[in-house]
Tab-separated table of all heavy atoms in Angstrom:
chain	number	residue	atom	x	y	z
N	835	ARG	N	-76.664	107.546	-65.145
N	835	ARG	CA	-76.981	106.687	-63.934
N	835	ARG	C	-78.194	106.982	-63.417
N	835	ARG	O	-78.974	106.131	-62.901
N	835	ARG	CB	-75.898	107.090	-62.929
N	835	ARG	CG	-74.514	106.503	-63.129
N	835	ARG	CD	-73.663	106.726	-61.978
N	835	ARG	NE	-73.039	108.149	-61.926
N	835	ARG	CZ	-72.021	108.552	-62.534
N	835	ARG	NH1	-71.287	107.666	-63.422
N	835	ARG	NH2	-71.651	109.825	-62.504
N	836	GLU	N	-78.772	108.092	-63.449
N	836	GLU	CA	-80.119	108.686	-62.960
N	836	GLU	C	-81.207	107.952	-63.808
N	836	GLU	O	-82.226	107.471	-63.350
N	836	GLU	CB	-80.326	110.067	-63.091
N	836	GLU	CG	-79.470	110.868	-62.013
N	836	GLU	CD	-79.647	112.444	-62.057
N	836	GLU	OE1	-80.864	112.871	-62.374
N	836	GLU	OE2	-78.714	113.146	-61.883
N	837	ILE	N	-81.003	107.921	-65.169
N	837	ILE	CA	-81.990	107.184	-66.031
N	837	ILE	C	-82.095	105.648	-65.576
N	837	ILE	O	-83.196	105.169	-65.460
N	837	ILE	CB	-81.669	107.420	-67.369
N	837	ILE	CG1	-81.852	108.889	-67.902
N	837	ILE	CG2	-82.404	106.467	-68.465
N	837	ILE	CD1	-81.511	109.131	-69.316
N	838	VAL	N	-80.986	105.073	-65.432
N	838	VAL	CA	-80.931	103.640	-65.166
N	838	VAL	C	-81.538	103.420	-63.876
N	838	VAL	O	-82.462	102.508	-63.697
N	838	VAL	CB	-79.478	103.079	-65.187
N	838	VAL	CG1	-79.466	101.677	-64.708
N	838	VAL	CG2	-78.927	103.117	-66.718
N	839	LYS	N	-81.196	104.138	-62.903
N	839	LYS	CA	-81.830	104.063	-61.615
N	839	LYS	C	-83.311	104.328	-61.510
N	839	LYS	O	-83.964	103.449	-60.924
N	839	LYS	CB	-81.066	104.967	-60.613
N	839	LYS	CG	-81.626	104.760	-59.078
N	839	LYS	CD	-80.891	105.818	-58.230
N	839	LYS	CE	-81.361	105.709	-56.703
N	839	LYS	NZ	-81.043	106.770	-55.872
N	840	GLY	N	-83.758	105.335	-62.191
N	840	GLY	CA	-85.109	105.708	-62.239
N	840	GLY	C	-86.023	104.606	-62.962
N	840	GLY	O	-87.086	104.274	-62.439
N	841	ILE	N	-85.575	104.092	-64.117
N	841	ILE	CA	-86.303	103.064	-64.764
N	841	ILE	C	-86.314	101.862	-63.930
N	841	ILE	O	-87.312	101.262	-63.823
N	841	ILE	CB	-85.738	102.842	-66.157
N	841	ILE	CG1	-85.890	104.042	-67.092
N	841	ILE	CG2	-86.135	101.575	-66.705
N	841	ILE	CD1	-85.260	103.994	-68.322
N	842	HIS	N	-85.222	101.559	-63.253
N	842	HIS	CA	-85.167	100.206	-62.345
N	842	HIS	C	-86.301	100.396	-61.275
N	842	HIS	O	-87.014	99.493	-60.937
N	842	HIS	CB	-83.883	100.143	-61.836
N	842	HIS	CG	-83.640	99.034	-60.841
N	842	HIS	ND1	-83.835	97.768	-61.195
N	842	HIS	CD2	-83.693	99.094	-59.445
N	842	HIS	CE1	-83.815	97.083	-59.969
N	842	HIS	NE2	-83.706	97.837	-58.970
N	843	GLU	N	-86.289	101.655	-60.635
N	843	GLU	CA	-87.206	101.796	-59.536
N	843	GLU	C	-88.669	101.778	-60.054
N	843	GLU	O	-89.518	101.320	-59.400
N	843	GLU	CB	-86.910	103.231	-58.964
N	843	GLU	CG	-85.612	103.173	-58.083
N	843	GLU	CD	-85.273	104.500	-57.569
N	843	GLU	OE1	-85.913	105.626	-57.969
N	843	GLU	OE2	-84.227	104.594	-56.774
N	844	VAL	N	-88.964	102.344	-61.178
N	844	VAL	CA	-90.319	102.287	-61.675
N	844	VAL	C	-90.766	100.822	-62.068
N	844	VAL	O	-91.815	100.390	-61.566
N	844	VAL	CB	-90.437	103.140	-62.969
N	844	VAL	CG1	-91.772	102.898	-63.696
N	844	VAL	CG2	-90.363	104.630	-62.598
N	845	ILE	N	-89.870	100.024	-62.604
N	845	ILE	CA	-90.218	98.827	-63.035
N	845	ILE	C	-90.420	97.890	-61.739
N	845	ILE	O	-91.357	97.066	-61.638
N	845	ILE	CB	-89.230	98.052	-63.961
N	845	ILE	CG1	-89.302	98.786	-65.303
N	845	ILE	CG2	-89.299	96.559	-64.115
N	845	ILE	CD1	-88.163	98.467	-66.364
N	846	THR	N	-89.478	97.928	-60.899
N	846	THR	CA	-89.675	96.968	-59.634
N	846	THR	C	-90.821	97.493	-58.887
N	846	THR	O	-91.445	96.692	-58.174
N	846	THR	CB	-88.340	97.109	-58.784
N	846	THR	OG1	-88.026	98.399	-58.363
N	846	THR	CG2	-87.128	96.382	-59.449
N	847	GLY	N	-91.090	98.790	-58.837
N	847	GLY	CA	-92.300	99.235	-58.089
N	847	GLY	C	-93.570	98.831	-58.675
N	847	GLY	O	-94.602	98.404	-58.025
N	848	VAL	N	-93.697	98.861	-59.954
N	848	VAL	CA	-94.940	98.524	-60.673
N	848	VAL	C	-95.131	97.091	-60.593
N	848	VAL	O	-96.219	96.500	-60.337
N	848	VAL	CB	-94.846	98.985	-62.218
N	848	VAL	CG1	-95.887	98.335	-63.032
N	848	VAL	CG2	-94.986	100.453	-62.315
N	849	GLU	N	-94.056	96.250	-60.733
N	849	GLU	CA	-94.109	94.757	-60.643
N	849	GLU	C	-94.132	94.163	-59.302
N	849	GLU	O	-94.194	93.097	-58.984
N	849	GLU	CB	-93.009	94.227	-61.430
N	849	GLU	CG	-93.114	94.402	-62.938
N	849	GLU	CD	-92.093	93.650	-63.793
N	849	GLU	OE1	-91.067	93.224	-63.263
N	849	GLU	OE2	-92.277	93.505	-64.959
N	850	LYS	N	-94.035	95.180	-58.297
N	850	LYS	CA	-93.884	94.813	-56.839
N	850	LYS	C	-92.806	93.658	-56.502
N	850	LYS	O	-92.989	92.755	-55.958
N	850	LYS	CB	-95.247	94.248	-56.379
N	850	LYS	CG	-96.467	95.100	-56.790
N	850	LYS	CD	-96.963	95.783	-55.590
N	850	LYS	CE	-98.256	96.718	-55.896
N	850	LYS	NZ	-98.103	97.801	-56.837
N	851	ARG	N	-91.642	93.964	-57.144
N	851	ARG	CA	-90.446	93.062	-56.991
N	851	ARG	C	-89.596	93.784	-56.039
N	851	ARG	O	-89.492	94.959	-55.788
N	851	ARG	CB	-89.800	92.866	-58.332
N	851	ARG	CG	-90.674	92.015	-59.301
N	851	ARG	CD	-89.817	91.589	-60.489
N	851	ARG	NE	-89.350	92.809	-61.298
N	851	ARG	CZ	-88.047	92.992	-61.618
N	851	ARG	NH1	-87.128	92.302	-61.224
N	851	ARG	NH2	-87.815	94.039	-62.243
N	852	PRO	N	-88.630	92.932	-55.352
N	852	PRO	CA	-87.600	93.553	-54.456
N	852	PRO	C	-86.631	94.414	-55.199
N	852	PRO	O	-86.421	94.194	-56.473
N	852	PRO	CB	-86.812	92.269	-53.872
N	852	PRO	CG	-87.698	91.184	-54.236
N	852	PRO	CD	-88.557	91.433	-55.472
N	853	PRO	N	-86.124	95.527	-54.599
N	853	PRO	CA	-85.231	96.407	-55.195
N	853	PRO	C	-84.007	95.743	-55.765
N	853	PRO	O	-83.319	96.267	-56.588
N	853	PRO	CB	-84.942	97.466	-54.182
N	853	PRO	CG	-85.843	97.111	-53.046
N	853	PRO	CD	-86.465	95.806	-53.246
N	854	THR	N	-83.602	94.593	-55.343
N	854	THR	CA	-82.477	93.878	-55.785
N	854	THR	C	-82.617	93.001	-56.977
N	854	THR	O	-81.863	92.395	-57.578
N	854	THR	CB	-81.888	92.935	-54.712
N	854	THR	OG1	-82.907	92.131	-54.149
N	854	THR	CG2	-81.431	93.868	-53.502
N	855	SER	N	-84.065	93.033	-57.549
N	855	SER	CA	-84.304	92.214	-58.623
N	855	SER	C	-83.574	92.848	-59.831
N	855	SER	O	-83.587	94.077	-60.050
N	855	SER	CB	-85.749	92.163	-58.899
N	855	SER	OG	-86.487	91.543	-57.865
N	856	PRO	N	-83.113	91.933	-60.803
N	856	PRO	CA	-82.468	92.530	-61.899
N	856	PRO	C	-83.336	93.148	-62.883
N	856	PRO	O	-84.426	92.704	-63.152
N	856	PRO	CB	-81.771	91.311	-62.654
N	856	PRO	CG	-82.589	90.155	-62.052
N	856	PRO	CD	-83.058	90.472	-60.760
N	857	THR	N	-82.978	94.284	-63.512
N	857	THR	CA	-83.585	95.093	-64.403
N	857	THR	C	-82.513	95.662	-65.369
N	857	THR	O	-81.598	96.100	-64.867
N	857	THR	CB	-84.349	96.247	-63.942
N	857	THR	OG1	-85.470	95.672	-63.019
N	857	THR	CG2	-85.226	96.989	-64.963
N	858	TYR	N	-82.646	95.376	-66.741
N	858	TYR	CA	-81.683	95.855	-67.672
N	858	TYR	C	-82.202	96.931	-68.259
N	858	TYR	O	-83.179	97.062	-68.697
N	858	TYR	CB	-81.274	94.681	-68.536
N	858	TYR	CG	-80.668	93.572	-67.988
N	858	TYR	CD1	-81.388	92.482	-67.561
N	858	TYR	CD2	-79.211	93.449	-67.761
N	858	TYR	CE1	-80.835	91.337	-67.012
N	858	TYR	CE2	-78.622	92.355	-67.041
N	858	TYR	CZ	-79.417	91.373	-66.795
N	858	TYR	OH	-78.770	90.334	-66.033
N	859	VAL	N	-81.272	98.034	-68.461
N	859	VAL	CA	-81.588	99.259	-69.100
N	859	VAL	C	-80.439	99.406	-70.134
N	859	VAL	O	-79.338	99.532	-69.898
N	859	VAL	CB	-81.642	100.446	-68.110
N	859	VAL	CG1	-81.938	101.762	-68.998
N	859	VAL	CG2	-82.788	100.227	-67.007
N	860	LEU	N	-81.032	99.478	-71.560
N	860	LEU	CA	-80.009	99.683	-72.501
N	860	LEU	C	-80.129	101.101	-73.169
N	860	LEU	O	-81.246	101.544	-73.485
N	860	LEU	CB	-80.267	98.656	-73.686
N	860	LEU	CG	-80.299	97.233	-73.290
N	860	LEU	CD1	-80.678	96.359	-74.534
N	860	LEU	CD2	-78.964	96.810	-72.810
N	861	ILE	N	-79.115	101.923	-72.965
N	861	ILE	CA	-79.133	103.217	-73.438
N	861	ILE	C	-78.475	103.290	-74.861
N	861	ILE	O	-77.236	102.962	-74.913
N	861	ILE	CB	-78.480	104.386	-72.531
N	861	ILE	CG1	-79.290	104.337	-71.170
N	861	ILE	CG2	-78.481	105.689	-73.207
N	861	ILE	CD1	-78.627	105.186	-70.078
N	862	ASN	N	-79.279	103.503	-75.897
N	862	ASN	CA	-78.745	103.482	-77.321
N	862	ASN	C	-78.493	104.890	-77.716
N	862	ASN	O	-79.513	105.657	-77.784
N	862	ASN	CB	-79.810	102.812	-78.185
N	862	ASN	CG	-79.963	101.343	-77.800
N	862	ASN	OD1	-79.029	100.594	-77.977
N	862	ASN	ND2	-81.145	101.002	-77.218
Side-chain angles (χ1 to χ4, degrees):
R835 284 189 286 276
E836 288 180 37
I837 287 172
V838 170
K839 182 179 179 190
I841 290 173
H842 172 75
E843 289 173 352
V844 167
I845 290 174
T846 55
V848 167
E849 293 186 345
K850 311 255 187 292
R851 294 190 294 124
T854 55
S855 297
T857 300
Y858 295 93
V859 179
L860 307 174
I861 298 176
N862 299 287

